[in-house]
Every structure is written in structure tokens, then in C-alpha cells.
PDB file of all heavy atoms in Angstrom:
ATOM      1  N   LEU K  27      -4.783 -10.991  -0.588  1.00  0.00           N
ATOM      2  CA  LEU K  27      -6.121 -10.440  -0.687  1.00  0.00           C
ATOM      3  C   LEU K  27      -6.817 -10.801  -1.953  1.00  0.00           C
ATOM      4  O   LEU K  27      -7.967 -11.005  -2.122  1.00  0.00           O
ATOM      5  CB  LEU K  27      -6.011  -8.934  -0.615  1.00  0.00           C
ATOM      6  CG  LEU K  27      -5.871  -8.343   0.760  1.00  0.00           C
ATOM      7  CD1 LEU K  27      -5.976  -6.708   0.748  1.00  0.00           C
ATOM      8  CD2 LEU K  27      -6.988  -8.832   1.772  1.00  0.00           C
ATOM      9  N   SER K  28      -6.017 -10.855  -3.099  1.00  0.00           N
ATOM     10  CA  SER K  28      -6.495 -11.300  -4.407  1.00  0.00           C
ATOM     11  C   SER K  28      -7.066 -12.750  -4.380  1.00  0.00           C
ATOM     12  O   SER K  28      -8.125 -12.935  -4.857  1.00  0.00           O
ATOM     13  CB  SER K  28      -5.439 -11.106  -5.498  1.00  0.00           C
ATOM     14  OG  SER K  28      -5.020  -9.805  -5.646  1.00  0.00           O
ATOM     15  N   ILE K  29      -6.293 -13.513  -3.671  1.00  0.00           N
ATOM     16  CA  ILE K  29      -6.619 -14.942  -3.558  1.00  0.00           C
ATOM     17  C   ILE K  29      -8.041 -15.086  -2.738  1.00  0.00           C
ATOM     18  O   ILE K  29      -8.926 -15.799  -3.135  1.00  0.00           O
ATOM     19  CB  ILE K  29      -5.575 -15.742  -2.959  1.00  0.00           C
ATOM     20  CG1 ILE K  29      -4.414 -15.850  -3.728  1.00  0.00           C
ATOM     21  CG2 ILE K  29      -6.081 -17.169  -2.573  1.00  0.00           C
ATOM     22  CD1 ILE K  29      -3.195 -16.520  -3.192  1.00  0.00           C
ATOM     23  N   MET K  30      -8.144 -14.285  -1.763  1.00  0.00           N
ATOM     24  CA  MET K  30      -9.332 -14.256  -0.820  1.00  0.00           C
ATOM     25  C   MET K  30     -10.551 -13.798  -1.602  1.00  0.00           C
ATOM     26  O   MET K  30     -11.590 -14.436  -1.515  1.00  0.00           O
ATOM     27  CB  MET K  30      -9.058 -13.449   0.422  1.00  0.00           C
ATOM     28  CG  MET K  30      -8.059 -13.974   1.384  1.00  0.00           C
ATOM     29  SD  MET K  30      -7.497 -12.685   2.586  1.00  0.00           S
ATOM     30  CE  MET K  30      -8.973 -12.494   3.447  1.00  0.00           C
ATOM     31  N   ARG K  31     -10.298 -12.652  -2.347  1.00  0.00           N
ATOM     32  CA  ARG K  31     -11.513 -12.197  -3.122  1.00  0.00           C
ATOM     33  C   ARG K  31     -11.793 -13.109  -4.209  1.00  0.00           C
ATOM     34  O   ARG K  31     -13.022 -13.452  -4.484  1.00  0.00           O
ATOM     35  CB  ARG K  31     -11.031 -10.830  -3.761  1.00  0.00           C
ATOM     36  CG  ARG K  31     -11.327  -9.732  -2.762  1.00  0.00           C
ATOM     37  CD  ARG K  31     -11.154  -8.396  -3.596  1.00  0.00           C
ATOM     38  NE  ARG K  31     -11.789  -7.236  -2.870  1.00  0.00           N
ATOM     39  CZ  ARG K  31     -11.136  -6.225  -2.453  1.00  0.00           C
ATOM     40  NH1 ARG K  31      -9.728  -6.052  -2.665  1.00  0.00           N
ATOM     41  NH2 ARG K  31     -11.708  -5.243  -1.792  1.00  0.00           N
ATOM     42  N   TYR K  32     -10.881 -13.746  -4.981  1.00  0.00           N
ATOM     43  CA  TYR K  32     -11.130 -14.662  -6.004  1.00  0.00           C
ATOM     44  C   TYR K  32     -11.825 -15.920  -5.420  1.00  0.00           C
ATOM     45  O   TYR K  32     -12.886 -16.423  -6.062  1.00  0.00           O
ATOM     46  CB  TYR K  32      -9.902 -15.088  -6.677  1.00  0.00           C
ATOM     47  CG  TYR K  32     -10.099 -16.262  -7.769  1.00  0.00           C
ATOM     48  CD1 TYR K  32     -10.572 -15.949  -8.937  1.00  0.00           C
ATOM     49  CD2 TYR K  32      -9.903 -17.536  -7.367  1.00  0.00           C
ATOM     50  CE1 TYR K  32     -10.795 -17.029  -9.892  1.00  0.00           C
ATOM     51  CE2 TYR K  32     -10.031 -18.567  -8.293  1.00  0.00           C
ATOM     52  CZ  TYR K  32     -10.556 -18.289  -9.478  1.00  0.00           C
ATOM     53  OH  TYR K  32     -10.900 -19.273 -10.429  1.00  0.00           O
ATOM     54  N   ALA K  33     -11.443 -16.409  -4.254  1.00  0.00           N
ATOM     55  CA  ALA K  33     -12.064 -17.516  -3.665  1.00  0.00           C
ATOM     56  C   ALA K  33     -13.572 -17.283  -3.383  1.00  0.00           C
ATOM     57  O   ALA K  33     -14.432 -18.103  -3.600  1.00  0.00           O
ATOM     58  CB  ALA K  33     -11.399 -18.014  -2.409  1.00  0.00           C
ATOM     59  N   ALA K  34     -13.824 -16.073  -2.841  1.00  0.00           N
ATOM     60  CA  ALA K  34     -15.244 -15.737  -2.531  1.00  0.00           C
ATOM     61  C   ALA K  34     -16.120 -15.578  -3.790  1.00  0.00           C
ATOM     62  O   ALA K  34     -17.207 -16.162  -3.805  1.00  0.00           O
ATOM     63  CB  ALA K  34     -15.291 -14.456  -1.701  1.00  0.00           C
ATOM     64  N   ILE K  35     -15.589 -14.945  -4.788  1.00  0.00           N
ATOM     65  CA  ILE K  35     -16.312 -14.822  -6.063  1.00  0.00           C
ATOM     66  C   ILE K  35     -16.485 -16.142  -6.685  1.00  0.00           C
ATOM     67  O   ILE K  35     -17.593 -16.417  -7.217  1.00  0.00           O
ATOM     68  CB  ILE K  35     -15.604 -13.849  -7.031  1.00  0.00           C
ATOM     69  CG1 ILE K  35     -15.536 -12.451  -6.390  1.00  0.00           C
ATOM     70  CG2 ILE K  35     -16.282 -13.808  -8.394  1.00  0.00           C
ATOM     71  CD1 ILE K  35     -14.582 -11.460  -7.140  1.00  0.00           C
ATOM     72  N   HIS K  36     -15.472 -16.998  -6.730  1.00  0.00           N
ATOM     73  CA  HIS K  36     -15.496 -18.266  -7.329  1.00  0.00           C
ATOM     74  C   HIS K  36     -16.528 -19.151  -6.623  1.00  0.00           C
ATOM     75  O   HIS K  36     -17.315 -19.952  -7.253  1.00  0.00           O
ATOM     76  CB  HIS K  36     -14.210 -18.904  -7.283  1.00  0.00           C
ATOM     77  CG  HIS K  36     -14.072 -20.345  -7.951  1.00  0.00           C
ATOM     78  ND1 HIS K  36     -14.283 -20.440  -9.365  1.00  0.00           N
ATOM     79  CD2 HIS K  36     -13.937 -21.541  -7.520  1.00  0.00           C
ATOM     80  CE1 HIS K  36     -14.095 -21.732  -9.639  1.00  0.00           C
ATOM     81  NE2 HIS K  36     -13.972 -22.403  -8.560  1.00  0.00           N
ATOM     82  N   TRP K  37     -16.576 -19.095  -5.254  1.00  0.00           N
ATOM     83  CA  TRP K  37     -17.494 -19.808  -4.483  1.00  0.00           C
ATOM     84  C   TRP K  37     -18.887 -19.454  -4.829  1.00  0.00           C
ATOM     85  O   TRP K  37     -19.812 -20.301  -4.947  1.00  0.00           O
ATOM     86  CB  TRP K  37     -17.248 -19.534  -2.980  1.00  0.00           C
ATOM     87  CG  TRP K  37     -17.942 -20.573  -2.057  1.00  0.00           C
ATOM     88  CD1 TRP K  37     -19.220 -20.619  -1.714  1.00  0.00           C
ATOM     89  CD2 TRP K  37     -17.208 -21.360  -1.234  1.00  0.00           C
ATOM     90  NE1 TRP K  37     -19.407 -21.511  -0.709  1.00  0.00           N
ATOM     91  CE2 TRP K  37     -18.253 -22.098  -0.372  1.00  0.00           C
ATOM     92  CE3 TRP K  37     -15.922 -21.785  -1.126  1.00  0.00           C
ATOM     93  CZ2 TRP K  37     -17.967 -23.055   0.483  1.00  0.00           C
ATOM     94  CZ3 TRP K  37     -15.654 -22.821  -0.196  1.00  0.00           C
ATOM     95  CH2 TRP K  37     -16.588 -23.438   0.660  1.00  0.00           C
ATOM     96  N   GLU K  38     -19.105 -18.133  -5.051  1.00  0.00           N
ATOM     97  CA  GLU K  38     -20.542 -17.708  -5.474  1.00  0.00           C
ATOM     98  C   GLU K  38     -20.848 -18.239  -6.757  1.00  0.00           C
ATOM     99  O   GLU K  38     -22.012 -18.701  -6.963  1.00  0.00           O
ATOM    100  CB  GLU K  38     -20.547 -16.195  -5.398  1.00  0.00           C
ATOM    101  CG  GLU K  38     -21.755 -15.609  -6.030  1.00  0.00           C
ATOM    102  CD  GLU K  38     -23.065 -15.737  -5.178  1.00  0.00           C
ATOM    103  OE1 GLU K  38     -22.908 -16.198  -4.004  1.00  0.00           O
ATOM    104  OE2 GLU K  38     -24.162 -15.431  -5.607  1.00  0.00           O
ATOM    105  N   LYS K  39     -19.963 -18.247  -7.726  1.00  0.00           N
ATOM    106  CA  LYS K  39     -20.331 -18.705  -9.109  1.00  0.00           C
ATOM    107  C   LYS K  39     -20.513 -20.147  -9.063  1.00  0.00           C
ATOM    108  O   LYS K  39     -21.347 -20.755  -9.840  1.00  0.00           O
ATOM    109  CB  LYS K  39     -19.166 -18.387 -10.076  1.00  0.00           C
ATOM    110  CG  LYS K  39     -18.962 -16.838 -10.321  1.00  0.00           C
ATOM    111  CD  LYS K  39     -17.898 -16.590 -11.239  1.00  0.00           C
ATOM    112  CE  LYS K  39     -18.176 -17.119 -12.573  1.00  0.00           C
ATOM    113  NZ  LYS K  39     -17.041 -16.791 -13.571  1.00  0.00           N
ATOM    114  N   LYS K  40     -19.912 -20.949  -8.202  1.00  0.00           N
ATOM    115  CA  LYS K  40     -19.977 -22.396  -8.213  1.00  0.00           C
ATOM    116  C   LYS K  40     -21.214 -22.837  -7.376  1.00  0.00           C
ATOM    117  O   LYS K  40     -21.691 -23.884  -7.591  1.00  0.00           O
ATOM    118  CB  LYS K  40     -18.820 -23.012  -7.559  1.00  0.00           C
ATOM    119  CG  LYS K  40     -17.460 -22.882  -8.300  1.00  0.00           C
ATOM    120  CD  LYS K  40     -17.270 -24.058  -9.295  1.00  0.00           C
ATOM    121  CE  LYS K  40     -16.925 -25.296  -8.597  1.00  0.00           C
ATOM    122  NZ  LYS K  40     -16.644 -26.370  -9.575  1.00  0.00           N
ATOM    123  N   ASN K  41     -21.802 -21.910  -6.616  1.00  0.00           N
ATOM    124  CA  ASN K  41     -22.909 -22.284  -5.734  1.00  0.00           C
ATOM    125  C   ASN K  41     -23.875 -21.157  -5.847  1.00  0.00           C
ATOM    126  O   ASN K  41     -23.850 -20.083  -5.123  1.00  0.00           O
ATOM    127  CB  ASN K  41     -22.528 -22.374  -4.339  1.00  0.00           C
ATOM    128  CG  ASN K  41     -21.516 -23.473  -4.091  1.00  0.00           C
ATOM    129  OD1 ASN K  41     -21.732 -24.601  -3.895  1.00  0.00           O
ATOM    130  ND2 ASN K  41     -20.166 -23.058  -4.169  1.00  0.00           N
ATOM    131  N   ALA K  42     -24.790 -21.235  -6.840  1.00  0.00           N
ATOM    132  CA  ALA K  42     -25.804 -20.182  -7.049  1.00  0.00           C
ATOM    133  C   ALA K  42     -26.673 -20.039  -5.834  1.00  0.00           C
ATOM    134  O   ALA K  42     -27.102 -18.906  -5.529  1.00  0.00           O
ATOM    135  CB  ALA K  42     -26.656 -20.553  -8.360  1.00  0.00           C
ATOM    136  N   VAL K  43     -26.934 -21.079  -5.135  1.00  0.00           N
ATOM    137  CA  VAL K  43     -27.739 -20.956  -3.833  1.00  0.00           C
ATOM    138  C   VAL K  43     -26.905 -21.597  -2.779  1.00  0.00           C
ATOM    139  O   VAL K  43     -26.713 -22.801  -2.809  1.00  0.00           O
ATOM    140  CB  VAL K  43     -29.061 -21.652  -3.953  1.00  0.00           C
ATOM    141  CG1 VAL K  43     -29.856 -21.591  -2.708  1.00  0.00           C
ATOM    142  CG2 VAL K  43     -29.893 -21.189  -5.181  1.00  0.00           C
ATOM    143  N   LEU K  44     -26.388 -20.756  -1.934  1.00  0.00           N
ATOM    144  CA  LEU K  44     -25.382 -21.253  -0.876  1.00  0.00           C
ATOM    145  C   LEU K  44     -26.133 -21.356   0.462  1.00  0.00           C
ATOM    146  O   LEU K  44     -26.988 -20.531   0.798  1.00  0.00           O
ATOM    147  CB  LEU K  44     -24.238 -20.227  -0.703  1.00  0.00           C
ATOM    148  CG  LEU K  44     -23.255 -20.234  -1.844  1.00  0.00           C
ATOM    149  CD1 LEU K  44     -22.226 -19.132  -1.582  1.00  0.00           C
ATOM    150  CD2 LEU K  44     -22.494 -21.580  -1.942  1.00  0.00           C
ATOM    151  N   GLY K  45     -25.785 -22.354   1.197  1.00  0.00           N
ATOM    152  CA  GLY K  45     -26.345 -22.561   2.549  1.00  0.00           C
ATOM    153  C   GLY K  45     -25.591 -21.590   3.419  1.00  0.00           C
ATOM    154  O   GLY K  45     -24.421 -21.207   3.184  1.00  0.00           O
ATOM    155  N   GLY K  46     -26.182 -21.199   4.623  1.00  0.00           N
ATOM    156  CA  GLY K  46     -25.558 -20.355   5.524  1.00  0.00           C
ATOM    157  C   GLY K  46     -24.258 -20.820   6.009  1.00  0.00           C
ATOM    158  O   GLY K  46     -23.273 -20.072   6.101  1.00  0.00           O
ATOM    159  N   MET K  47     -24.102 -22.182   6.216  1.00  0.00           N
ATOM    160  CA  MET K  47     -22.774 -22.659   6.774  1.00  0.00           C
ATOM    161  C   MET K  47     -21.736 -22.593   5.720  1.00  0.00           C
ATOM    162  O   MET K  47     -20.549 -22.365   6.161  1.00  0.00           O
ATOM    163  CB  MET K  47     -22.972 -24.126   7.165  1.00  0.00           C
ATOM    164  CG  MET K  47     -21.951 -24.662   8.064  1.00  0.00           C
ATOM    165  SD  MET K  47     -21.763 -23.740   9.620  1.00  0.00           S
ATOM    166  CE  MET K  47     -20.128 -24.295  10.186  1.00  0.00           C
ATOM    167  N   SER K  48     -22.027 -22.787   4.527  1.00  0.00           N
ATOM    168  CA  SER K  48     -21.061 -22.720   3.489  1.00  0.00           C
ATOM    169  C   SER K  48     -20.457 -21.270   3.472  1.00  0.00           C
ATOM    170  O   SER K  48     -19.288 -21.082   3.337  1.00  0.00           O
ATOM    171  CB  SER K  48     -21.565 -23.125   2.130  1.00  0.00           C
ATOM    172  OG  SER K  48     -22.030 -24.413   2.141  1.00  0.00           O
ATOM    173  N   GLU K  49     -21.290 -20.294   3.455  1.00  0.00           N
ATOM    174  CA  GLU K  49     -20.772 -18.918   3.472  1.00  0.00           C
ATOM    175  C   GLU K  49     -20.093 -18.595   4.747  1.00  0.00           C
ATOM    176  O   GLU K  49     -19.051 -17.856   4.697  1.00  0.00           O
ATOM    177  CB  GLU K  49     -22.040 -17.940   3.240  1.00  0.00           C
ATOM    178  CG  GLU K  49     -22.695 -18.014   1.888  1.00  0.00           C
ATOM    179  CD  GLU K  49     -23.652 -16.823   1.747  1.00  0.00           C
ATOM    180  OE1 GLU K  49     -23.868 -16.057   2.735  1.00  0.00           O
ATOM    181  OE2 GLU K  49     -24.264 -16.666   0.650  1.00  0.00           O
ATOM    182  N   LEU K  50     -20.459 -19.123   5.798  1.00  0.00           N
ATOM    183  CA  LEU K  50     -19.852 -18.970   7.164  1.00  0.00           C
ATOM    184  C   LEU K  50     -18.349 -19.518   7.047  1.00  0.00           C
ATOM    185  O   LEU K  50     -17.476 -18.832   7.581  1.00  0.00           O
ATOM    186  CB  LEU K  50     -20.669 -19.603   8.240  1.00  0.00           C
ATOM    187  CG  LEU K  50     -20.205 -19.424   9.617  1.00  0.00           C
ATOM    188  CD1 LEU K  50     -20.041 -17.866   9.900  1.00  0.00           C
ATOM    189  CD2 LEU K  50     -21.079 -20.039  10.667  1.00  0.00           C
ATOM    190  N   SER K  51     -18.230 -20.602   6.421  1.00  0.00           N
ATOM    191  CA  SER K  51     -16.868 -21.214   6.245  1.00  0.00           C
ATOM    192  C   SER K  51     -15.925 -20.212   5.531  1.00  0.00           C
ATOM    193  O   SER K  51     -14.799 -20.076   5.895  1.00  0.00           O
ATOM    194  CB  SER K  51     -16.873 -22.511   5.577  1.00  0.00           C
ATOM    195  OG  SER K  51     -17.711 -23.432   6.262  1.00  0.00           O
ATOM    196  N   VAL K  52     -16.531 -19.628   4.435  1.00  0.00           N
ATOM    197  CA  VAL K  52     -15.706 -18.640   3.652  1.00  0.00           C
ATOM    198  C   VAL K  52     -15.329 -17.477   4.616  1.00  0.00           C
ATOM    199  O   VAL K  52     -14.121 -17.036   4.559  1.00  0.00           O
ATOM    200  CB  VAL K  52     -16.494 -18.193   2.458  1.00  0.00           C
ATOM    201  CG1 VAL K  52     -15.650 -17.133   1.743  1.00  0.00           C
ATOM    202  CG2 VAL K  52     -16.823 -19.327   1.436  1.00  0.00           C
ATOM    203  N   MET K  53     -16.255 -17.008   5.364  1.00  0.00           N
ATOM    204  CA  MET K  53     -15.966 -15.951   6.268  1.00  0.00           C
ATOM    205  C   MET K  53     -14.916 -16.264   7.271  1.00  0.00           C
ATOM    206  O   MET K  53     -13.960 -15.433   7.541  1.00  0.00           O
ATOM    207  CB  MET K  53     -17.292 -15.452   6.971  1.00  0.00           C
ATOM    208  CG  MET K  53     -16.997 -14.320   8.079  1.00  0.00           C
ATOM    209  SD  MET K  53     -18.471 -13.978   8.958  1.00  0.00           S
ATOM    210  CE  MET K  53     -19.160 -12.688   7.803  1.00  0.00           C
ATOM    211  N   ARG K  54     -15.088 -17.391   7.794  1.00  0.00           N
ATOM    212  CA  ARG K  54     -14.054 -17.745   8.936  1.00  0.00           C
ATOM    213  C   ARG K  54     -12.677 -17.951   8.439  1.00  0.00           C
ATOM    214  O   ARG K  54     -11.698 -17.556   9.024  1.00  0.00           O
ATOM    215  CB  ARG K  54     -14.440 -18.962   9.613  1.00  0.00           C
ATOM    216  CG  ARG K  54     -15.715 -18.809  10.553  1.00  0.00           C
ATOM    217  CD  ARG K  54     -16.307 -20.092  11.088  1.00  0.00           C
ATOM    218  NE  ARG K  54     -17.326 -19.891  12.112  1.00  0.00           N
ATOM    219  CZ  ARG K  54     -18.104 -20.837  12.528  1.00  0.00           C
ATOM    220  NH1 ARG K  54     -17.983 -22.098  12.182  1.00  0.00           N
ATOM    221  NH2 ARG K  54     -19.078 -20.579  13.500  1.00  0.00           N
ATOM    222  N   LEU K  55     -12.594 -18.582   7.173  1.00  0.00           N
ATOM    223  CA  LEU K  55     -11.343 -18.809   6.547  1.00  0.00           C
ATOM    224  C   LEU K  55     -10.688 -17.358   6.250  1.00  0.00           C
ATOM    225  O   LEU K  55      -9.464 -17.182   6.510  1.00  0.00           O
ATOM    226  CB  LEU K  55     -11.446 -19.528   5.273  1.00  0.00           C
ATOM    227  CG  LEU K  55     -10.127 -19.798   4.452  1.00  0.00           C
ATOM    228  CD1 LEU K  55      -9.158 -20.498   5.403  1.00  0.00           C
ATOM    229  CD2 LEU K  55     -10.488 -20.672   3.242  1.00  0.00           C
ATOM    230  N   SER K  56     -11.511 -16.481   5.684  1.00  0.00           N
ATOM    231  CA  SER K  56     -10.947 -15.161   5.362  1.00  0.00           C
ATOM    232  C   SER K  56     -10.532 -14.390   6.687  1.00  0.00           C
ATOM    233  O   SER K  56      -9.496 -13.733   6.651  1.00  0.00           O
ATOM    234  CB  SER K  56     -12.103 -14.412   4.680  1.00  0.00           C
ATOM    235  OG  SER K  56     -12.452 -14.951   3.568  1.00  0.00           O
ATOM    236  N   GLY K  57     -11.271 -14.611   7.714  1.00  0.00           N
ATOM    237  CA  GLY K  57     -10.864 -13.904   8.905  1.00  0.00           C
ATOM    238  C   GLY K  57      -9.629 -14.402   9.414  1.00  0.00           C
ATOM    239  O   GLY K  57      -8.742 -13.607  10.007  1.00  0.00           O
ATOM    240  N   ALA K  58      -9.337 -15.708   9.422  1.00  0.00           N
ATOM    241  CA  ALA K  58      -8.071 -16.269   9.832  1.00  0.00           C
ATOM    242  C   ALA K  58      -7.027 -15.709   9.105  1.00  0.00           C
ATOM    243  O   ALA K  58      -5.850 -15.452   9.678  1.00  0.00           O
ATOM    244  CB  ALA K  58      -8.203 -17.813   9.774  1.00  0.00           C
ATOM    245  N   MET K  59      -7.111 -15.592   7.766  1.00  0.00           N
ATOM    246  CA  MET K  59      -6.039 -14.956   6.927  1.00  0.00           C
ATOM    247  C   MET K  59      -5.730 -13.608   7.279  1.00  0.00           C
ATOM    248  O   MET K  59      -4.688 -13.112   7.253  1.00  0.00           O
ATOM    249  CB  MET K  59      -6.363 -15.268   5.484  1.00  0.00           C
ATOM    250  CG  MET K  59      -6.437 -16.680   5.074  1.00  0.00           C
ATOM    251  SD  MET K  59      -6.924 -16.943   3.370  1.00  0.00           S
ATOM    252  CE  MET K  59      -5.427 -16.440   2.505  1.00  0.00           C
ATOM    253  N   LEU K  60      -6.853 -12.795   7.554  1.00  0.00           N
ATOM    254  CA  LEU K  60      -6.604 -11.394   7.940  1.00  0.00           C
ATOM    255  C   LEU K  60      -5.832 -11.332   9.252  1.00  0.00           C
ATOM    256  O   LEU K  60      -5.100 -10.334   9.382  1.00  0.00           O
ATOM    257  CB  LEU K  60      -8.013 -10.720   8.051  1.00  0.00           C
ATOM    258  CG  LEU K  60      -8.725 -10.430   6.815  1.00  0.00           C
ATOM    259  CD1 LEU K  60     -10.048  -9.660   6.972  1.00  0.00           C
ATOM    260  CD2 LEU K  60      -7.824  -9.438   5.877  1.00  0.00           C
ATOM    261  N   ILE K  61      -6.176 -12.202  10.130  1.00  0.00           N
ATOM    262  CA  ILE K  61      -5.401 -12.121  11.478  1.00  0.00           C
ATOM    263  C   ILE K  61      -3.829 -12.344  11.221  1.00  0.00           C
ATOM    264  O   ILE K  61      -3.094 -11.544  11.667  1.00  0.00           O
ATOM    265  CB  ILE K  61      -5.957 -13.252  12.362  1.00  0.00           C
ATOM    266  CG1 ILE K  61      -7.307 -12.854  12.899  1.00  0.00           C
ATOM    267  CG2 ILE K  61      -4.987 -13.432  13.588  1.00  0.00           C
ATOM    268  CD1 ILE K  61      -8.020 -13.964  13.691  1.00  0.00           C
ATOM    269  N   VAL K  62      -3.576 -13.362  10.455  1.00  0.00           N
ATOM    270  CA  VAL K  62      -2.177 -13.541  10.070  1.00  0.00           C
ATOM    271  C   VAL K  62      -1.517 -12.397   9.321  1.00  0.00           C
ATOM    272  O   VAL K  62      -0.400 -12.016   9.666  1.00  0.00           O
ATOM    273  CB  VAL K  62      -2.051 -14.840   9.145  1.00  0.00           C
ATOM    274  CG1 VAL K  62      -0.688 -15.080   8.817  1.00  0.00           C
ATOM    275  CG2 VAL K  62      -2.502 -16.043   9.975  1.00  0.00           C
ATOM    276  N   LEU K  63      -2.262 -11.897   8.352  1.00  0.00           N
ATOM    277  CA  LEU K  63      -1.709 -10.741   7.624  1.00  0.00           C
ATOM    278  C   LEU K  63      -1.529  -9.539   8.549  1.00  0.00           C
ATOM    279  O   LEU K  63      -0.541  -8.756   8.191  1.00  0.00           O
ATOM    280  CB  LEU K  63      -2.712 -10.340   6.525  1.00  0.00           C
ATOM    281  CG  LEU K  63      -2.780 -11.318   5.300  1.00  0.00           C
ATOM    282  CD1 LEU K  63      -3.845 -10.848   4.358  1.00  0.00           C
ATOM    283  CD2 LEU K  63      -1.384 -11.347   4.660  1.00  0.00           C
ATOM    284  N   SER K  64      -2.426  -9.311   9.494  1.00  0.00           N
ATOM    285  CA  SER K  64      -2.211  -8.125  10.345  1.00  0.00           C
ATOM    286  C   SER K  64      -0.964  -8.219  11.162  1.00  0.00           C
ATOM    287  O   SER K  64      -0.236  -7.241  11.276  1.00  0.00           O
ATOM    288  CB  SER K  64      -3.462  -7.936  11.215  1.00  0.00           C
ATOM    289  OG  SER K  64      -3.464  -9.040  12.188  1.00  0.00           O
ATOM    290  N   VAL K  65      -0.597  -9.427  11.601  1.00  0.00           N
ATOM    291  CA  VAL K  65       0.597  -9.641  12.382  1.00  0.00           C
ATOM    292  C   VAL K  65       1.859  -9.396  11.451  1.00  0.00           C
ATOM    293  O   VAL K  65       2.752  -8.757  11.918  1.00  0.00           O
ATOM    294  CB  VAL K  65       0.627 -10.985  13.068  1.00  0.00           C
ATOM    295  CG1 VAL K  65       1.868 -11.114  13.801  1.00  0.00           C
ATOM    296  CG2 VAL K  65      -0.552 -11.164  14.038  1.00  0.00           C
ATOM    297  N   VAL K  66       1.781 -10.035  10.356  1.00  0.00           N
ATOM    298  CA  VAL K  66       2.908  -9.905   9.406  1.00  0.00           C
ATOM    299  C   VAL K  66       3.221  -8.434   8.974  1.00  0.00           C
ATOM    300  O   VAL K  66       4.356  -8.005   8.959  1.00  0.00           O
ATOM    301  CB  VAL K  66       2.654 -10.729   8.159  1.00  0.00           C
ATOM    302  CG1 VAL K  66       3.733 -10.497   7.072  1.00  0.00           C
ATOM    303  CG2 VAL K  66       2.620 -12.188   8.550  1.00  0.00           C
ATOM    304  N   LEU K  67       2.044  -7.691   8.726  1.00  0.00           N
ATOM    305  CA  LEU K  67       2.193  -6.309   8.267  1.00  0.00           C
ATOM    306  C   LEU K  67       2.820  -5.472   9.481  1.00  0.00           C
ATOM    307  O   LEU K  67       3.590  -4.534   9.294  1.00  0.00           O
ATOM    308  CB  LEU K  67       0.871  -5.650   7.842  1.00  0.00           C
ATOM    309  CG  LEU K  67       0.595  -6.018   6.394  1.00  0.00           C
ATOM    310  CD1 LEU K  67      -0.773  -5.545   6.079  1.00  0.00           C
ATOM    311  CD2 LEU K  67       1.564  -5.403   5.389  1.00  0.00           C
ATOM    312  N   ALA K  68       2.367  -5.720  10.685  1.00  0.00           N
ATOM    313  CA  ALA K  68       2.787  -4.896  11.851  1.00  0.00           C
ATOM    314  C   ALA K  68       4.320  -5.194  12.000  1.00  0.00           C
ATOM    315  O   ALA K  68       5.075  -4.174  12.273  1.00  0.00           O
ATOM    316  CB  ALA K  68       2.046  -5.418  13.122  1.00  0.00           C
ATOM    317  N   ILE K  69       4.728  -6.379  11.920  1.00  0.00           N
ATOM    318  CA  ILE K  69       6.226  -6.672  12.065  1.00  0.00           C
ATOM    319  C   ILE K  69       6.960  -6.028  10.967  1.00  0.00           C
ATOM    320  O   ILE K  69       8.136  -5.470  11.123  1.00  0.00           O
ATOM    321  CB  ILE K  69       6.404  -8.201  12.060  1.00  0.00           C
ATOM    322  CG1 ILE K  69       5.737  -8.864  13.310  1.00  0.00           C
ATOM    323  CG2 ILE K  69       7.908  -8.567  12.072  1.00  0.00           C
ATOM    324  CD1 ILE K  69       5.776 -10.377  13.319  1.00  0.00           C
ATOM    325  N   THR K  70       6.438  -6.147   9.698  1.00  0.00           N
ATOM    326  CA  THR K  70       7.119  -5.568   8.562  1.00  0.00           C
ATOM    327  C   THR K  70       7.255  -4.049   8.658  1.00  0.00           C
ATOM    328  O   THR K  70       8.229  -3.426   8.378  1.00  0.00           O
ATOM    329  CB  THR K  70       6.431  -5.940   7.222  1.00  0.00           C
ATOM    330  OG1 THR K  70       6.319  -7.307   7.191  1.00  0.00           O
ATOM    331  CG2 THR K  70       7.152  -5.393   6.088  1.00  0.00           C
ATOM    332  N   ASN K  71       6.118  -3.422   9.174  1.00  0.00           N
ATOM    333  CA  ASN K  71       6.143  -2.011   9.380  1.00  0.00           C
ATOM    334  C   ASN K  71       7.306  -1.527  10.335  1.00  0.00           C
ATOM    335  O   ASN K  71       8.042  -0.524  10.050  1.00  0.00           O
ATOM    336  CB  ASN K  71       4.869  -1.456   9.950  1.00  0.00           C
ATOM    337  CG  ASN K  71       4.625   0.030   9.901  1.00  0.00           C
ATOM    338  OD1 ASN K  71       5.056   0.733   8.940  1.00  0.00           O
ATOM    339  ND2 ASN K  71       4.146   0.489  10.953  1.00  0.00           N
TER     340      ASN K  71
END
């Protein structure tokens, strides 16, 4: 989660004006990681 948050904040700092597709890529990547994390946490629980 720290890596995901850092990536989003760093992306914003590197791109003062972001296009919609660039932000969308960040969202999709974060979503994919959340899906994997949800499965791992369920198994661990």
C-alpha cells in the first residue's frame, strides 16, 4: 500500500498536468494490486 501511495504521489509531482489516460493507468495498476492483495489476505486470514 505504501508503494501504491508513493507511486501515485510521485506521479502527480512528476506530471503537474496529467492527461486522463495517464491517471487512468495509475488507477488500473492500483486496482490490479488490490485484487491480488485481497486474495492473499483472505488466504492468510
Side-chain angles (χ1 to χ4, degrees):
L27 280 185
S28 299
I29 294 172
M30 292 166 66
R31 274 192 162 120
Y32 173 79
I35 296 171
H36 182 68
W37 195 288
E38 170 72 8
K39 290 180 68 176
K40 293 272 290 186
N41 301 272
V43 180
L44 287 173
M47 193 60 196
S48 297
E49 291 192 359
L50 184 57
S51 298
V52 175
M53 172 184 276
R54 286 174 174 168
L55 177 60
S56 299
M59 295 178 73
L60 284 181
I61 292 173
V62 174
L63 284 176
S64 68
V65 175
V66 172
L67 277 174
I69 295 173
T70 305
N71 188 42

